[in-house]
Amino acid sequence: MCGITGCLALADGAGPDTEWVGRAAMRIAHRGPDDEAFFADQHLALGFRRLAVIDTSAAGRQPLQSADGRFVLVFDGEIYNYVELAQRLHARGVRLRSRSAAEVLLEMYAWLGKDVVRQLRGMYAFAIWDRRNLELFCARDPFGIKPFFYALTAGGHRPRSGPQLRFASERKALAGPGEVTTIDPDALRRYLSFQYVPAPATLVPPARSLPPGHVLIARPGGRVDVFRYWRPELRPARSPSSSSPDKILGALRDSVAAHLRSDVPVGAFLSGGVDSATLCALAAESVPDLLTFTVGFDREGYSEIDDAMATATALGVKSIPYLIGPEEFLACLPRIIWQLDDPMADAAAIPLWFAAREARKHVKVVLSGEGADELFGGYGVYYQPGVVRAGKALPGWGRSTIGRVASELPAGARGKGFLNRTSTPLRRRYIGNAYVYHGDDASQLVRKAHG
C-alpha cells in the first residue's frame, strides 16, 4: 500500500495548506516507508508516501506528472491490467517513461478522462489534478478495498486561508490529537448495529469516506460533487451448469496470475480454510517457492496453525507460523485500534494484523483471499437450503407467527435460531447476521451516551 494526501483551496485567491499536507503525510508514513515526495501550485498541494511494488526505480516516484505536464497524480493501489492498458497506449503512440502502473493510469486518464475508471481492473484510490482546467478528479475502486477519506474545512489560521478540501488515505491524517471534538450519533448507532461505520459516514465529522465505486470532483471556487460510477449486477443462472466449475477455476487462476504481477516478492496468508488453500495452490503453480504466513492464538481451539501447516506440506510450499500469546495480544491491541481509524468489531482484524506484521519481515505483498466467504458461501448461515425452501413456502402470516414464537423463547433456547431463520426472508437474514444491537436498542444506547 501507499499513502496519499492532498489539500485543494476552494476559495478564489486562497492557496492550499502545504504545511498540513506535510503533517498529514507524516501521520501515514507507515503506509509508504520507501519514499516521500510532494507537489504544490497556487491551488493544490499533494503528498505521497511510497511502498514500491511495480517499477521500484525513481521513475515510479509520485506525485507523478503526465508527459505534457498537464496532469498530476497521487495513487494508492494496484492496477492489475496495467500491462494490457500499456499496450493500448503504445498502440496510440504514447511513449511511457517507466514501467509503473501509476504512469499507465495517468496517461489513460489523459486519453479517456473520467471514463478511465471503467477500464481499470484493480484496487485503487487516486487523485488527478488537471492544471489546465483546474479540476480535481478522485476515485475509489468498486469494492472499496483502498481507503479514501476527505473533509471540507473552513481553513486554518494562515493569511488568505479559506474553505479547503482535504483528503488522505487514512482518517487519522485529517485530524491530529485534540482536533476531534464530536462524534456523529447516527454513525455510532450504525456501528453498534453493523459492527462498522458504513461509508460515507465516519464517527468523527467533518471527515467523510468516499464510498466504494464513487468519484469525487472538485474545482477552486466551485462545488465538491460525489458520483457513483459502478454498481454490482447479479444475474443468477436459472440452474447449475456443468461448465461452472471450470469457469470458476479459470477466473480464479486468471485473478491470481494478475495479482502476482510484482517487482518484489509476493507471499500469501494461509489459514485452515478452503479459500486461502485454493489461492495458495494456484499461486504455487507459478511461484513454487511461495512463502505463506499463518497465525494462531495460544489457546486450545483458537489456532489453525496445525491445519495450515498440513495444507502447506500438501501444496509443497513453505509456511511460517506465529503463535500469539495473551500478553502480546493485550500489548498490541492499542496499536491495532489506532490503525483501524474508525473501530471495526470484527475479531478477525486482530490475527490479520499479526499476520501482516510477520509477513512484512519477509515480503512486501501478500494474497489474502478476502471476500471468499461471501462469494462462495463459506459459512453455514449462507447455505441452508432447507430453511430457505421452508421460508419461501410459508405464507406471510405463517412466517409472522413463527417469528412471534421465536421472539418469546429465551436467548439460547434450542430451536430459537432455526425458527428465526425460517421466518426471516433471506435478504434480511443475510444483513441481520451481522447485527449486534438492533435498531431500537442501538438508538437507545446512543441517546444515553449523548445525555
Side-chain angles (χ1 to χ4, degrees):
M1 62 184 177
C2 297
I4 64 175
T5 67
C7 176
L8 176 68
L10 297 175
D12 290 329
D17 190 340
T18 56
E19 293 182 3
W20 176 85
V21 171
R23 292 195 303 271
M26 187 179 302
R27 290 171 186 159
I28 56 173
H30 53 277
R31 297 184 66 90
D34 294 335
D35 193 17
E36 177 185 67
F38 299 91
F39 165 88
D41 63 16
Q42 65 197 67
H43 302 287
L44 177 77
L46 299 171
F48 184 72
R49 296 290 315 202
R50 184 185 187 192
L51 182 72
V53 174
I54 301 294
D55 192 349
T56 60
S57 72
R61 295 190 74 195
Q62 298 181 44
L64 181 66
Q65 296 192 40
S66 59
D68 60 5
R70 175 178 172 178
F71 302 103
V72 186
L73 164 80
V74 285
F75 157 66
D76 169 34
E78 299 295 335
I79 306 299
Y80 297 119
N81 61 335
Y82 79 97
V83 173
E84 292 77 11
L85 295 179
Q87 291 171 349
R88 292 174 60 185
L89 290 170
H90 284 307
R92 288 181 51 85
V94 177
R95 299 186 61 181
L96 298 174
R97 298 159 290 166
S98 71
R99 294 183 298 103
S100 72
E103 186 183 9
V104 172
L105 168 59
L106 184 57
E107 296 300 337
M108 286 293 294
Y109 182 83
W111 172 24
L112 299 175
K114 300 174 180 62
D115 285 339
V116 70
V117 291
R118 306 188 190 282
Q119 305 297 320
L120 304 179
R121 175 185 179 185
M123 55 179 184
Y124 49 82
F126 65 81
I128 296 178
W129 173 235
D130 184 340
R131 302 174 71 182
R132 180 188 303 168
N133 292 338
L134 301 182
E135 181 177 86
L136 179 69
F137 179 80
C138 308
R140 190 178 180 197
D141 65 76
F143 291 98
I145 300 172
K146 287 297 181 179
F148 187 100
F149 294 92
Y150 68 96
L152 299 176
T153 71
H157 302 289
R158 302 172 301 109
R160 296 174 56 229
S161 65
Q164 299 173 351
L165 167 67
R166 297 177 176 181
F167 60 89
S169 295
E170 297 185 15
R171 183 179 58 74
K172 66 177 66 68
L174 296 177
E179 295 179 20
V180 174
T181 58
T182 185
I183 290 179
D184 181 348
D186 188 57
L188 178 58
R189 180 184 61 79
R190 295 187 182 194
Y191 168 73
L192 292 173
S193 295
F194 302 122
Q195 305 181 45
Y196 78 108
V197 180
T202 71
L203 273 181
V204 289
R208 305 281 284 174
S209 174
L210 184 65
H214 281 65
V215 299
L216 180 152
I217 301 173
R219 303 171 186 82
R223 305 187 314 178
V224 175
D225 296 311
V226 175
F227 303 98
R228 185 170 189 165
Y229 71 86
W230 182 90
R231 67 176 64 246
E233 294 183 7
L234 302 179
R235 300 189 182 95
R238 291 180 177 270
S239 60
S241 169
S242 59
S243 64
S244 294
D246 289 336
K247 289 180 179 178
I248 292 172
L249 181 59
L252 286 171
R253 183 170 279 123
D254 175 68
S255 180
V256 169
H259 282 66
L260 288 173
R261 287 175 170 172
S262 173
D263 292 338
V264 297
V266 178
F269 292 147
L270 180 60
S271 67
V274 175
D275 48 4
S276 63
T278 301
L279 293 185
C280 288
L282 295 174
E285 291 178 351
S286 54
V287 186
D289 58 345
L290 181 74
L291 281 180
T292 65
F293 304 91
T294 305
V295 297
F297 291 103
D298 189 10
R299 182 179 177 183
E300 187 176 354
Y302 285 83
S303 177
E304 299 182 20
I305 288 179
D306 290 343
D307 291 339
M309 295 295 285
T311 300
T313 300
L315 296 178
V317 300
K318 182 179 179 181
S319 182
I320 300 176
Y322 188 82
L323 196 63
I324 307 166
E327 294 83 6
E328 185 179 28
F329 174 93
L330 292 174
C332 292
L333 193 56
R335 177 72 179 182
I336 297 171
I337 294 172
W338 177 82
Q339 292 204 277
L340 284 176
D341 278 339
D342 277 351
M344 180 178 63
D346 183 357
I350 296 176
L352 186 63
W353 183 88
F354 281 100
R357 186 193 68 177
E358 294 306 305
R360 183 63 183 91
K361 298 175 182 178
H362 305 271
V363 297
K364 276 189 174 184
V365 179
V366 292
L367 304 180
S368 70
E370 289 295 313
D373 291 318
E374 288 74 15
L375 287 173
F376 295 106
Y379 293 107
V381 70
Y382 297 142
Y383 182 71
Q384 295 174 328
V387 174
V388 173
R389 282 196 297 268
K392 284 184 176 180
L394 287 172
W397 62 265
R399 286 197 298 270
S400 299
T401 301
I402 293 175
R404 285 196 298 272
V405 172
S407 66
E408 293 174 1
L409 292 175
R414 186 176 179 84
K416 180 180 176 75
F418 175 81
L419 293 176
N420 272 327
R421 292 191 292 274
T422 305
S423 61
T424 305
L426 180 61
R427 185 179 303 173
R428 284 183 53 205
R429 185 152 54 87
Y430 175 82
I431 298 172
N433 185 56
Y435 272 144
V436 177
Y437 294 97
H438 286 263
D440 292 342
D441 296 332
S443 297
Q444 186 176 3
L445 282 171
V446 171
R447 284 196 297 269
K448 288 182 178 180
H450 284 74

